[in-house]
Amino acid sequence: MLLTPRSRHTPLNSRHRTAALLASAVSVCLLAASAPPEPLGIGDRLFPYLGNPGYDVTSYDLSFTYSGRNDKPLEAVTTIDARTTADLERLNLDFTHGTVRSVEVDGRRADFAKAGEDLVVTPDHPLARGSWTRITVRHTSDPVAAKDQDGGWVRTVDGLAMANQADAAHLVFPCNDHPSDKAMFTFHVTAPNGYTVVANGLPDGAERDGKTTTWTYRTQHPMATELAQVSIGRSAVVRREGPDGLPMRDVVPAADRKALEPWLAKTADQIAWMESKVGRFPFETYGVLLAQASTGFELETQTLSLFEKNLFTDPAYPKWYVESIMVHELSHQWFGDSVSPRTWSDVWLNEGHATWYETLYADETAHKPMEQRMKAAYSASDRWREAGGPPARPKAPAPGQKISIFRPNIYDGAALVLYALRQEIGRPAFERLERVWVRAHRDSTATTADFVQLASTISGRDLSGFFKAWLYGAKTPPMPGHPDWKQQAPAKDQQAPAKKPSASAGKPSASAGKPSAQAGKASAPAWAAGAGGPRSAR
């Protein structure tokens, strides 16, 4: 550290000391500012460059202007309110696949540069730890996917929707793109008259101005960036009331409203069923978005789950199967949305629980035995662990396929852990655990360690050894109560490595296998034989 020179016999008074420290601080600032920008991250094991250190986002205000062409970039403004958790000379935002027009920090112009998939912002003044700051980015948002990019905007027949899981929100807007940093959201979307816009949360007005209308929506609960949803299309919004007066709205292609109504009418009873298992619905509204697009998956975007319309219109899918997939995404509103994973290695808590309730619903309403599905999963579990890692330590995504973390090990493989837990501690303790878990961590994030601790507390005994084996072991432990359950080697025609899924196919094998179009309505899904299938209920 450089200090102001002084005489041997002259004391350094407080004024000189202050000046010396200020000079040193300025020197450090200049050195930091002159260093080249670099991508940062919070050190997530699966996505090391996701998220950014030094600040905590409290709210996003997103404005999009849609021209009526879903192959043209949208003009956008993203405003972020955040509290700093460290002294910052720069801050990084996750953002790529858009042109940045300008950046302001606290109303003043800021320099910016690209580093990897980060937007590196240099304010004209240092940001002190514990201070509030507002970052405004004017940019474009491109709905046409670039090479090796998964997710972000989904181009539908009549407009756009979003699918941002696991790390694709920053393909749409600048953000701290990690589920550990949840925030409130406001959406303003301007579209030509004749289009309908729906987003997460509740509507807060629609203002018509000549040939366009600006729609505003606000969330009432914090949300992870991966769960953001904006639907722009020639849609009908079907409204109804759910349990305890819950306002519900479904978004469907206007021409298909009547044909889809029998499916839409099922959601209220499904919510009531879930509430009977884990407690009151955690958000301000719910509904389904049926998009005319080919994604290969469904997605639990908060308060407005995304589905392919084809799932409800293709006769190859049995009625009970479709309903169980609806419950899968609905249950995510508790497990994954309200209680979000602290890291992506905790994703088994999302998908294992959603698969659990999907399976339990099929058991109780369609007489598809849970025990049969769990036995089939057990027989395949060692193969799933070898291919994708144990449930709580999944293998990293394949290069260019970030969504490939969504493998059978975190769907049926993780539901199998919950089945073993219920066998181990008994049904009453397990059901109490489920209710306490979603209540204790509502609107927050949680880890695998949190779940282990709560399960131990409720059961009255240390379950750390049980969970270590089931969640982290290379081999599947014996199933409590079922000593006859065994692992099975794959049949010869199943031993060839699976083909690498394309980015457009969505997540690879997941919780419930999609019957092929040729299989016919009565065909059983692939999980009945202990194998995953191409449809992915995220």
Side-chain angles (χ1 to χ4, degrees), residues 158 194-196 198 231 233-239 249-258 264 288-290:
D158 59 343
Y195 284 87
T196 298
V198 183
S231 167
R234 301 191 181 277
S235 309
V237 180
V238 183
R239 303 186 187 279
R249 81 280 187 255
D250 300 307
V251 184
V252 300
D256 300 309
R257 174 175 178 169
K258 184 176 180 180
L264 307 179
V288 298
L289 164 61
L290 307 188

mmCIF file with all atom_site columns, all heavy atoms in Angstrom, residues 158 194-196 198 231 233-239 249-258 264 288-290:
data_model
loop_
_atom_site.group_PDB
_atom_site.id
_atom_site.type_symbol
_atom_site.label_atom_id
_atom_site.label_alt_id
_atom_site.label_comp_id
_atom_site.label_asym_id
_atom_site.label_entity_id
_atom_site.label_seq_id
_atom_site.pdbx_PDB_ins_code
_atom_site.Cartn_x
_atom_site.Cartn_y
_atom_site.Cartn_z
_atom_site.occupancy
_atom_site.B_iso_or_equiv
_atom_site.pdbx_formal_charge
_atom_site.auth_seq_id
_atom_site.auth_comp_id
_atom_site.auth_asym_id
_atom_site.auth_atom_id
_atom_site.pdbx_PDB_model_num
ATOM 1   N N   . ASP A 1 158 ? -48.342 -19.099 -33.373 1.00 0.00 ? 158 ASP A N   1
ATOM 2   C CA  . ASP A 1 158 ? -48.940 -17.764 -33.420 1.00 0.00 ? 158 ASP A CA  1
ATOM 3   C C   . ASP A 1 158 ? -48.215 -16.730 -32.585 1.00 0.00 ? 158 ASP A C   1
ATOM 4   O O   . ASP A 1 158 ? -48.741 -15.639 -32.353 1.00 0.00 ? 158 ASP A O   1
ATOM 5   C CB  . ASP A 1 158 ? -50.406 -17.830 -32.969 1.00 0.00 ? 158 ASP A CB  1
ATOM 6   C CG  . ASP A 1 158 ? -50.554 -18.373 -31.558 1.00 0.00 ? 158 ASP A CG  1
ATOM 7   O OD1 . ASP A 1 158 ? -49.597 -18.992 -31.061 1.00 0.00 ? 158 ASP A OD1 1
ATOM 8   O OD2 . ASP A 1 158 ? -51.626 -18.182 -30.948 1.00 0.00 ? 158 ASP A OD2 1
ATOM 9   N N   . GLY A 1 194 ? -54.969 -7.490  -31.220 1.00 0.00 ? 194 GLY A N   1
ATOM 10  C CA  . GLY A 1 194 ? -55.315 -8.795  -31.757 1.00 0.00 ? 194 GLY A CA  1
ATOM 11  C C   . GLY A 1 194 ? -54.523 -9.911  -31.106 1.00 0.00 ? 194 GLY A C   1
ATOM 12  O O   . GLY A 1 194 ? -54.912 -11.077 -31.197 1.00 0.00 ? 194 GLY A O   1
ATOM 13  N N   . TYR A 1 195 ? -53.398 -9.554  -30.468 1.00 0.00 ? 195 TYR A N   1
ATOM 14  C CA  . TYR A 1 195 ? -52.634 -10.522 -29.693 1.00 0.00 ? 195 TYR A CA  1
ATOM 15  C C   . TYR A 1 195 ? -53.039 -10.434 -28.228 1.00 0.00 ? 195 TYR A C   1
ATOM 16  O O   . TYR A 1 195 ? -53.436 -9.367  -27.734 1.00 0.00 ? 195 TYR A O   1
ATOM 17  C CB  . TYR A 1 195 ? -51.125 -10.265 -29.816 1.00 0.00 ? 195 TYR A CB  1
ATOM 18  C CG  . TYR A 1 195 ? -50.539 -10.707 -31.126 1.00 0.00 ? 195 TYR A CG  1
ATOM 19  C CD1 . TYR A 1 195 ? -50.531 -9.851  -32.226 1.00 0.00 ? 195 TYR A CD1 1
ATOM 20  C CD2 . TYR A 1 195 ? -49.990 -11.980 -31.277 1.00 0.00 ? 195 TYR A CD2 1
ATOM 21  C CE1 . TYR A 1 195 ? -50.002 -10.256 -33.449 1.00 0.00 ? 195 TYR A CE1 1
ATOM 22  C CE2 . TYR A 1 195 ? -49.463 -12.382 -32.485 1.00 0.00 ? 195 TYR A CE2 1
ATOM 23  C CZ  . TYR A 1 195 ? -49.464 -11.525 -33.567 1.00 0.00 ? 195 TYR A CZ  1
ATOM 24  O OH  . TYR A 1 195 ? -48.945 -11.936 -34.770 1.00 0.00 ? 195 TYR A OH  1
ATOM 25  N N   . THR A 1 196 ? -52.913 -11.558 -27.540 1.00 0.00 ? 196 THR A N   1
ATOM 26  C CA  . THR A 1 196 ? -53.154 -11.604 -26.105 1.00 0.00 ? 196 THR A CA  1
ATOM 27  C C   . THR A 1 196 ? -51.841 -11.930 -25.413 1.00 0.00 ? 196 THR A C   1
ATOM 28  O O   . THR A 1 196 ? -51.113 -12.828 -25.837 1.00 0.00 ? 196 THR A O   1
ATOM 29  C CB  . THR A 1 196 ? -54.208 -12.665 -25.748 1.00 0.00 ? 196 THR A CB  1
ATOM 30  O OG1 . THR A 1 196 ? -55.444 -12.321 -26.382 1.00 0.00 ? 196 THR A OG1 1
ATOM 31  C CG2 . THR A 1 196 ? -54.412 -12.755 -24.246 1.00 0.00 ? 196 THR A CG2 1
ATOM 32  N N   . VAL A 1 198 ? -50.074 -12.923 -21.700 1.00 0.00 ? 198 VAL A N   1
ATOM 33  C CA  . VAL A 1 198 ? -50.239 -13.381 -20.322 1.00 0.00 ? 198 VAL A CA  1
ATOM 34  C C   . VAL A 1 198 ? -48.849 -13.692 -19.780 1.00 0.00 ? 198 VAL A C   1
ATOM 35  O O   . VAL A 1 198 ? -47.992 -14.208 -20.498 1.00 0.00 ? 198 VAL A O   1
ATOM 36  C CB  . VAL A 1 198 ? -51.147 -14.621 -20.224 1.00 0.00 ? 198 VAL A CB  1
ATOM 37  C CG1 . VAL A 1 198 ? -51.344 -15.025 -18.760 1.00 0.00 ? 198 VAL A CG1 1
ATOM 38  C CG2 . VAL A 1 198 ? -52.495 -14.373 -20.879 1.00 0.00 ? 198 VAL A CG2 1
ATOM 39  N N   . SER A 1 231 ? -46.411 -15.305 -22.466 1.00 0.00 ? 231 SER A N   1
ATOM 40  C CA  . SER A 1 231 ? -47.083 -15.873 -23.637 1.00 0.00 ? 231 SER A CA  1
ATOM 41  C C   . SER A 1 231 ? -47.625 -14.740 -24.488 1.00 0.00 ? 231 SER A C   1
ATOM 42  O O   . SER A 1 231 ? -48.350 -13.868 -23.996 1.00 0.00 ? 231 SER A O   1
ATOM 43  C CB  . SER A 1 231 ? -48.232 -16.784 -23.187 1.00 0.00 ? 231 SER A CB  1
ATOM 44  O OG  . SER A 1 231 ? -49.071 -17.095 -24.282 1.00 0.00 ? 231 SER A OG  1
ATOM 45  N N   . GLY A 1 233 ? -49.675 -14.419 -28.110 1.00 0.00 ? 233 GLY A N   1
ATOM 46  C CA  . GLY A 1 233 ? -50.298 -15.184 -29.179 1.00 0.00 ? 233 GLY A CA  1
ATOM 47  C C   . GLY A 1 233 ? -51.737 -14.773 -29.410 1.00 0.00 ? 233 GLY A C   1
ATOM 48  O O   . GLY A 1 233 ? -52.278 -13.904 -28.719 1.00 0.00 ? 233 GLY A O   1
ATOM 49  N N   . ARG A 1 234 ? -52.353 -15.405 -30.368 1.00 0.00 ? 234 ARG A N   1
ATOM 50  C CA  . ARG A 1 234 ? -53.771 -15.174 -30.639 1.00 0.00 ? 234 ARG A CA  1
ATOM 51  C C   . ARG A 1 234 ? -54.541 -16.184 -29.790 1.00 0.00 ? 234 ARG A C   1
ATOM 52  O O   . ARG A 1 234 ? -55.006 -17.218 -30.266 1.00 0.00 ? 234 ARG A O   1
ATOM 53  C CB  . ARG A 1 234 ? -54.048 -15.299 -32.131 1.00 0.00 ? 234 ARG A CB  1
ATOM 54  C CG  . ARG A 1 234 ? -53.215 -14.293 -32.945 1.00 0.00 ? 234 ARG A CG  1
ATOM 55  C CD  . ARG A 1 234 ? -53.641 -14.205 -34.392 1.00 0.00 ? 234 ARG A CD  1
ATOM 56  N NE  . ARG A 1 234 ? -52.808 -13.272 -35.130 1.00 0.00 ? 234 ARG A NE  1
ATOM 57  C CZ  . ARG A 1 234 ? -52.975 -11.959 -35.166 1.00 0.00 ? 234 ARG A CZ  1
ATOM 58  N NH1 . ARG A 1 234 ? -53.968 -11.404 -34.473 1.00 0.00 ? 234 ARG A NH1 1
ATOM 59  N NH2 . ARG A 1 234 ? -52.170 -11.181 -35.864 1.00 0.00 ? 234 ARG A NH2 1
ATOM 60  N N   . SER A 1 235 ? -54.602 -15.854 -28.520 1.00 0.00 ? 235 SER A N   1
ATOM 61  C CA  . SER A 1 235 ? -55.020 -16.801 -27.503 1.00 0.00 ? 235 SER A CA  1
ATOM 62  C C   . SER A 1 235 ? -56.342 -16.409 -26.866 1.00 0.00 ? 235 SER A C   1
ATOM 63  O O   . SER A 1 235 ? -56.742 -15.246 -26.857 1.00 0.00 ? 235 SER A O   1
ATOM 64  C CB  . SER A 1 235 ? -53.947 -16.880 -26.400 1.00 0.00 ? 235 SER A CB  1
ATOM 65  O OG  . SER A 1 235 ? -52.667 -17.104 -26.934 1.00 0.00 ? 235 SER A OG  1
ATOM 66  N N   . ALA A 1 236 ? -56.976 -17.419 -26.301 1.00 0.00 ? 236 ALA A N   1
ATOM 67  C CA  . ALA A 1 236 ? -58.120 -17.203 -25.417 1.00 0.00 ? 236 ALA A CA  1
ATOM 68  C C   . ALA A 1 236 ? -57.647 -17.427 -23.991 1.00 0.00 ? 236 ALA A C   1
ATOM 69  O O   . ALA A 1 236 ? -56.846 -18.329 -23.723 1.00 0.00 ? 236 ALA A O   1
ATOM 70  C CB  . ALA A 1 236 ? -59.248 -18.167 -25.755 1.00 0.00 ? 236 ALA A CB  1
ATOM 71  N N   . VAL A 1 237 ? -58.155 -16.605 -23.079 1.00 0.00 ? 237 VAL A N   1
ATOM 72  C CA  . VAL A 1 237 ? -57.854 -16.766 -21.661 1.00 0.00 ? 237 VAL A CA  1
ATOM 73  C C   . VAL A 1 237 ? -59.129 -17.252 -20.985 1.00 0.00 ? 237 VAL A C   1
ATOM 74  O O   . VAL A 1 237 ? -60.144 -16.546 -20.971 1.00 0.00 ? 237 VAL A O   1
ATOM 75  C CB  . VAL A 1 237 ? -57.356 -15.458 -21.028 1.00 0.00 ? 237 VAL A CB  1
ATOM 76  C CG1 . VAL A 1 237 ? -57.052 -15.669 -19.545 1.00 0.00 ? 237 VAL A CG1 1
ATOM 77  C CG2 . VAL A 1 237 ? -56.111 -14.953 -21.759 1.00 0.00 ? 237 VAL A CG2 1
ATOM 78  N N   . VAL A 1 238 ? -59.079 -18.453 -20.463 1.00 0.00 ? 238 VAL A N   1
ATOM 79  C CA  . VAL A 1 238 ? -60.247 -19.086 -19.840 1.00 0.00 ? 238 VAL A CA  1
ATOM 80  C C   . VAL A 1 238 ? -60.107 -18.954 -18.335 1.00 0.00 ? 238 VAL A C   1
ATOM 81  O O   . VAL A 1 238 ? -59.144 -19.443 -17.747 1.00 0.00 ? 238 VAL A O   1
ATOM 82  C CB  . VAL A 1 238 ? -60.351 -20.564 -20.238 1.00 0.00 ? 238 VAL A CB  1
ATOM 83  C CG1 . VAL A 1 238 ? -61.612 -21.189 -19.655 1.00 0.00 ? 238 VAL A CG1 1
ATOM 84  C CG2 . VAL A 1 238 ? -60.320 -20.717 -21.760 1.00 0.00 ? 238 VAL A CG2 1
ATOM 85  N N   . ARG A 1 239 ? -61.069 -18.301 -17.717 1.00 0.00 ? 239 ARG A N   1
ATOM 86  C CA  . ARG A 1 239 ? -60.990 -18.032 -16.277 1.00 0.00 ? 239 ARG A CA  1
ATOM 87  C C   . ARG A 1 239 ? -62.001 -18.873 -15.522 1.00 0.00 ? 239 ARG A C   1
ATOM 88  O O   . ARG A 1 239 ? -63.092 -19.151 -16.002 1.00 0.00 ? 239 ARG A O   1
ATOM 89  C CB  . ARG A 1 239 ? -61.224 -16.538 -16.001 1.00 0.00 ? 239 ARG A CB  1
ATOM 90  C CG  . ARG A 1 239 ? -60.244 -15.644 -16.758 1.00 0.00 ? 239 ARG A CG  1
ATOM 91  C CD  . ARG A 1 239 ? -60.375 -14.174 -16.382 1.00 0.00 ? 239 ARG A CD  1
ATOM 92  N NE  . ARG A 1 239 ? -59.536 -13.339 -17.230 1.00 0.00 ? 239 ARG A NE  1
ATOM 93  C CZ  . ARG A 1 239 ? -58.235 -13.141 -17.058 1.00 0.00 ? 239 ARG A CZ  1
ATOM 94  N NH1 . ARG A 1 239 ? -57.629 -13.733 -16.033 1.00 0.00 ? 239 ARG A NH1 1
ATOM 95  N NH2 . ARG A 1 239 ? -57.546 -12.376 -17.883 1.00 0.00 ? 239 ARG A NH2 1
ATOM 96  N N   . ARG A 1 249 ? -56.536 -19.047 -14.469 1.00 0.00 ? 249 ARG A N   1
ATOM 97  C CA  . ARG A 1 249 ? -56.650 -18.687 -15.880 1.00 0.00 ? 249 ARG A CA  1
ATOM 98  C C   . ARG A 1 249 ? -55.791 -19.623 -16.700 1.00 0.00 ? 249 ARG A C   1
ATOM 99  O O   . ARG A 1 249 ? -54.657 -19.940 -16.345 1.00 0.00 ? 249 ARG A O   1
ATOM 100 C CB  . ARG A 1 249 ? -56.274 -17.225 -16.146 1.00 0.00 ? 249 ARG A CB  1
ATOM 101 C CG  . ARG A 1 249 ? -54.789 -16.908 -16.251 1.00 0.00 ? 249 ARG A CG  1
ATOM 102 C CD  . ARG A 1 249 ? -54.165 -16.806 -14.874 1.00 0.00 ? 249 ARG A CD  1
ATOM 103 N NE  . ARG A 1 249 ? -52.788 -16.356 -14.895 1.00 0.00 ? 249 ARG A NE  1
ATOM 104 C CZ  . ARG A 1 249 ? -51.757 -17.153 -14.691 1.00 0.00 ? 249 ARG A CZ  1
ATOM 105 N NH1 . ARG A 1 249 ? -51.944 -18.440 -14.527 1.00 0.00 ? 249 ARG A NH1 1
ATOM 106 N NH2 . ARG A 1 249 ? -50.529 -16.662 -14.659 1.00 0.00 ? 249 ARG A NH2 1
ATOM 107 N N   . ASP A 1 250 ? -56.383 -20.102 -17.787 1.00 0.00 ? 250 ASP A N   1
ATOM 108 C CA  . ASP A 1 250 ? -55.682 -20.955 -18.736 1.00 0.00 ? 250 ASP A CA  1
ATOM 109 C C   . ASP A 1 250 ? -55.546 -20.189 -20.049 1.00 0.00 ? 250 ASP A C   1
ATOM 110 O O   . ASP A 1 250 ? -56.426 -19.406 -20.421 1.00 0.00 ? 250 ASP A O   1
ATOM 111 C CB  . ASP A 1 250 ? -56.454 -22.248 -18.967 1.00 0.00 ? 250 ASP A CB  1
ATOM 112 C CG  . ASP A 1 250 ? -56.643 -23.047 -17.691 1.00 0.00 ? 250 ASP A CG  1
ATOM 113 O OD1 . ASP A 1 250 ? -55.638 -23.322 -17.015 1.00 0.00 ? 250 ASP A OD1 1
ATOM 114 O OD2 . ASP A 1 250 ? -57.799 -23.379 -17.355 1.00 0.00 ? 250 ASP A OD2 1
ATOM 115 N N   . VAL A 1 251 ? -54.443 -20.430 -20.753 1.00 0.00 ? 251 VAL A N   1
ATOM 116 C CA  . VAL A 1 251 ? -54.160 -19.746 -22.006 1.00 0.00 ? 251 VAL A CA  1
ATOM 117 C C   . VAL A 1 251 ? -54.076 -20.793 -23.103 1.00 0.00 ? 251 VAL A C   1
ATOM 118 O O   . VAL A 1 251 ? -53.212 -21.678 -23.059 1.00 0.00 ? 251 VAL A O   1
ATOM 119 C CB  . VAL A 1 251 ? -52.846 -18.952 -21.907 1.00 0.00 ? 251 VAL A CB  1
ATOM 120 C CG1 . VAL A 1 251 ? -52.602 -18.158 -23.189 1.00 0.00 ? 251 VAL A CG1 1
ATOM 121 C CG2 . VAL A 1 251 ? -52.863 -18.021 -20.695 1.00 0.00 ? 251 VAL A CG2 1
ATOM 122 N N   . VAL A 1 252 ? -54.973 -20.701 -24.074 1.00 0.00 ? 252 VAL A N   1
ATOM 123 C CA  . VAL A 1 252 ? -55.069 -21.714 -25.128 1.00 0.00 ? 252 VAL A CA  1
ATOM 124 C C   . VAL A 1 252 ? -55.249 -21.026 -26.480 1.00 0.00 ? 252 VAL A C   1
ATOM 125 O O   . VAL A 1 252 ? -55.719 -19.884 -26.544 1.00 0.00 ? 252 VAL A O   1
ATOM 126 C CB  . VAL A 1 252 ? -56.252 -22.673 -24.873 1.00 0.00 ? 252 VAL A CB  1
ATOM 127 C CG1 . VAL A 1 252 ? -56.081 -23.390 -23.539 1.00 0.00 ? 252 VAL A CG1 1
ATOM 128 C CG2 . VAL A 1 252 ? -57.576 -21.933 -24.907 1.00 0.00 ? 252 VAL A CG2 1
ATOM 129 N N   . PRO A 1 253 ? -54.884 -21.704 -27.562 1.00 0.00 ? 253 PRO A N   1
ATOM 130 C CA  . PRO A 1 253 ? -55.191 -21.143 -28.882 1.00 0.00 ? 253 PRO A CA  1
ATOM 131 C C   . PRO A 1 253 ? -56.687 -20.883 -28.989 1.00 0.00 ? 253 PRO A C   1
ATOM 132 O O   . PRO A 1 253 ? -57.509 -21.754 -28.661 1.00 0.00 ? 253 PRO A O   1
ATOM 133 C CB  . PRO A 1 253 ? -54.730 -22.241 -29.845 1.00 0.00 ? 253 PRO A CB  1
ATOM 134 C CG  . PRO A 1 253 ? -53.684 -22.996 -29.089 1.00 0.00 ? 253 PRO A CG  1
ATOM 135 C CD  . PRO A 1 253 ? -54.142 -22.984 -27.664 1.00 0.00 ? 253 PRO A CD  1
ATOM 136 N N   . ALA A 1 254 ? -57.047 -19.696 -29.427 1.00 0.00 ? 254 ALA A N   1
ATOM 137 C CA  . ALA A 1 254 ? -58.458 -19.304 -29.426 1.00 0.00 ? 254 ALA A CA  1
ATOM 138 C C   . ALA A 1 254 ? -59.332 -20.291 -30.189 1.00 0.00 ? 254 ALA A C   1
ATOM 139 O O   . ALA A 1 254 ? -60.457 -20.593 -29.767 1.00 0.00 ? 254 ALA A O   1
ATOM 140 C CB  . ALA A 1 254 ? -58.588 -17.899 -30.012 1.00 0.00 ? 254 ALA A CB  1
ATOM 141 N N   . ALA A 1 255 ? -58.822 -20.817 -31.287 1.00 0.00 ? 255 ALA A N   1
ATOM 142 C CA  . ALA A 1 255 ? -59.624 -21.720 -32.107 1.00 0.00 ? 255 ALA A CA  1
ATOM 143 C C   . ALA A 1 255 ? -59.884 -23.061 -31.430 1.00 0.00 ? 255 ALA A C   1
ATOM 144 O O   . ALA A 1 255 ? -60.797 -23.788 -31.818 1.00 0.00 ? 255 ALA A O   1
ATOM 145 C CB  . ALA A 1 255 ? -58.931 -21.951 -33.456 1.00 0.00 ? 255 ALA A CB  1
ATOM 146 N N   . ASP A 1 256 ? -59.102 -23.400 -30.406 1.00 0.00 ? 256 ASP A N   1
ATOM 147 C CA  . ASP A 1 256 ? -59.217 -24.710 -29.755 1.00 0.00 ? 256 ASP A CA  1
ATOM 148 C C   . ASP A 1 256 ? -59.864 -24.634 -28.375 1.00 0.00 ? 256 ASP A C   1
ATOM 149 O O   . ASP A 1 256 ? -59.882 -25.633 -27.648 1.00 0.00 ? 256 ASP A O   1
ATOM 150 C CB  . ASP A 1 256 ? -57.829 -25.341 -29.614 1.00 0.00 ? 256 ASP A CB  1
ATOM 151 C CG  . ASP A 1 256 ? -57.147 -25.551 -30.949 1.00 0.00 ? 256 ASP A CG  1
ATOM 152 O OD1 . ASP A 1 256 ? -57.787 -26.133 -31.835 1.00 0.00 ? 256 ASP A OD1 1
ATOM 153 O OD2 . ASP A 1 256 ? -55.994 -25.120 -31.107 1.00 0.00 ? 256 ASP A OD2 1
ATOM 154 N N   . ARG A 1 257 ? -60.389 -23.482 -28.020 1.00 0.00 ? 257 ARG A N   1
ATOM 155 C CA  . ARG A 1 257 ? -60.883 -23.303 -26.661 1.00 0.00 ? 257 ARG A CA  1
ATOM 156 C C   . ARG A 1 257 ? -61.941 -24.345 -26.292 1.00 0.00 ? 257 ARG A C   1
ATOM 157 O O   . ARG A 1 257 ? -61.859 -24.979 -25.242 1.00 0.00 ? 257 ARG A O   1
ATOM 158 C CB  . ARG A 1 257 ? -61.454 -21.890 -26.506 1.00 0.00 ? 257 ARG A CB  1
ATOM 159 C CG  . ARG A 1 257 ? -62.119 -21.656 -25.167 1.00 0.00 ? 257 ARG A CG  1
ATOM 160 C CD  . ARG A 1 257 ? -62.572 -20.216 -25.010 1.00 0.00 ? 257 ARG A CD  1
ATOM 161 N NE  . ARG A 1 257 ? -63.240 -20.008 -23.740 1.00 0.00 ? 257 ARG A NE  1
ATOM 162 C CZ  . ARG A 1 257 ? -63.543 -18.813 -23.249 1.00 0.00 ? 257 ARG A CZ  1
ATOM 163 N NH1 . ARG A 1 257 ? -63.234 -17.720 -23.930 1.00 0.00 ? 257 ARG A NH1 1
ATOM 164 N NH2 . ARG A 1 257 ? -64.152 -18.700 -22.081 1.00 0.00 ? 257 ARG A NH2 1
ATOM 165 N N   . LYS A 1 258 ? -62.924 -24.540 -27.127 1.00 0.00 ? 258 LYS A N   1
ATOM 166 C CA  . LYS A 1 258 ? -64.024 -25.449 -26.806 1.00 0.00 ? 258 LYS A CA  1
ATOM 167 C C   . LYS A 1 258 ? -63.536 -26.886 -26.703 1.00 0.00 ? 258 LYS A C   1
ATOM 168 O O   . LYS A 1 258 ? -63.903 -27.625 -25.771 1.00 0.00 ? 258 LYS A O   1
ATOM 169 C CB  . LYS A 1 258 ? -65.126 -25.344 -27.862 1.00 0.00 ? 258 LYS A CB  1
ATOM 170 C CG  . LYS A 1 258 ? -66.357 -26.185 -27.555 1.00 0.00 ? 258 LYS A CG  1
ATOM 171 C CD  . LYS A 1 258 ? -67.450 -25.960 -28.593 1.00 0.00 ? 258 LYS A CD  1
ATOM 172 C CE  . LYS A 1 258 ? -68.686 -26.814 -28.280 1.00 0.00 ? 258 LYS A CE  1
ATOM 173 N NZ  . LYS A 1 258 ? -69.762 -26.600 -29.301 1.00 0.00 ? 258 LYS A NZ  1
ATOM 174 N N   . LEU A 1 264 ? -59.075 -28.517 -19.371 1.00 0.00 ? 264 LEU A N   1
ATOM 175 C CA  . LEU A 1 264 ? -58.865 -27.361 -18.500 1.00 0.00 ? 264 LEU A CA  1
ATOM 176 C C   . LEU A 1 264 ? -59.683 -27.472 -17.222 1.00 0.00 ? 264 LEU A C   1
ATOM 177 O O   . LEU A 1 264 ? -59.251 -27.040 -16.141 1.00 0.00 ? 264 LEU A O   1
ATOM 178 C CB  . LEU A 1 264 ? -59.230 -26.068 -19.235 1.00 0.00 ? 264 LEU A CB  1
ATOM 179 C CG  . LEU A 1 264 ? -58.553 -25.831 -20.595 1.00 0.00 ? 264 LEU A CG  1
ATOM 180 C CD1 . LEU A 1 264 ? -59.037 -24.524 -21.198 1.00 0.00 ? 264 LEU A CD1 1
ATOM 181 C CD2 . LEU A 1 264 ? -57.039 -25.845 -20.462 1.00 0.00 ? 264 LEU A CD2 1
ATOM 182 N N   . VAL A 1 288 ? -52.804 -23.286 -16.935 1.00 0.00 ? 288 VAL A N   1
ATOM 183 C CA  . VAL A 1 288 ? -51.930 -23.948 -17.888 1.00 0.00 ? 288 VAL A CA  1
ATOM 184 C C   . VAL A 1 288 ? -51.870 -23.138 -19.180 1.00 0.00 ? 288 VAL A C   1
ATOM 185 O O   . VAL A 1 288 ? -52.842 -22.501 -19.582 1.00 0.00 ? 288 VAL A O   1
ATOM 186 C CB  . VAL A 1 288 ? -52.398 -25.388 -18.184 1.00 0.00 ? 288 VAL A CB  1
ATOM 187 C CG1 . VAL A 1 288 ? -52.356 -26.222 -16.918 1.00 0.00 ? 288 VAL A CG1 1
ATOM 188 C CG2 . VAL A 1 288 ? -53.790 -25.413 -18.786 1.00 0.00 ? 288 VAL A CG2 1
ATOM 189 N N   . LEU A 1 289 ? -50.724 -23.157 -19.792 1.00 0.00 ? 289 LEU A N   1
ATOM 190 C CA  . LEU A 1 289 ? -50.479 -22.523 -21.082 1.00 0.00 ? 289 LEU A CA  1
ATOM 191 C C   . LEU A 1 289 ? -50.257 -23.633 -22.091 1.00 0.00 ? 289 LEU A C   1
ATOM 192 O O   . LEU A 1 289 ? -49.277 -24.376 -21.994 1.00 0.00 ? 289 LEU A O   1
ATOM 193 C CB  . LEU A 1 289 ? -49.262 -21.599 -20.993 1.00 0.00 ? 289 LEU A CB  1
ATOM 194 C CG  . LEU A 1 289 ? -48.629 -21.136 -22.307 1.00 0.00 ? 289 LEU A CG  1
ATOM 195 C CD1 . LEU A 1 289 ? -49.626 -20.343 -23.145 1.00 0.00 ? 289 LEU A CD1 1
ATOM 196 C CD2 . LEU A 1 289 ? -47.368 -20.306 -22.029 1.00 0.00 ? 289 LEU A CD2 1
ATOM 197 N N   . LEU A 1 290 ? -51.180 -23.765 -23.040 1.00 0.00 ? 290 LEU A N   1
ATOM 198 C CA  . LEU A 1 290 ? -51.069 -24.804 -24.061 1.00 0.00 ? 290 LEU A CA  1
ATOM 199 C C   . LEU A 1 290 ? -50.538 -24.162 -25.339 1.00 0.00 ? 290 LEU A C   1
ATOM 200 O O   . LEU A 1 290 ? -51.252 -23.429 -26.030 1.00 0.00 ? 290 LEU A O   1
ATOM 201 C CB  . LEU A 1 290 ? -52.429 -25.457 -24.305 1.00 0.00 ? 290 LEU A CB  1
ATOM 202 C CG  . LEU A 1 290 ? -53.144 -26.000 -23.060 1.00 0.00 ? 290 LEU A CG  1
ATOM 203 C CD1 . LEU A 1 290 ? -54.379 -26.801 -23.469 1.00 0.00 ? 290 LEU A CD1 1
ATOM 204 C CD2 . LEU A 1 290 ? -52.218 -26.839 -22.210 1.00 0.00 ? 290 LEU A CD2 1
#
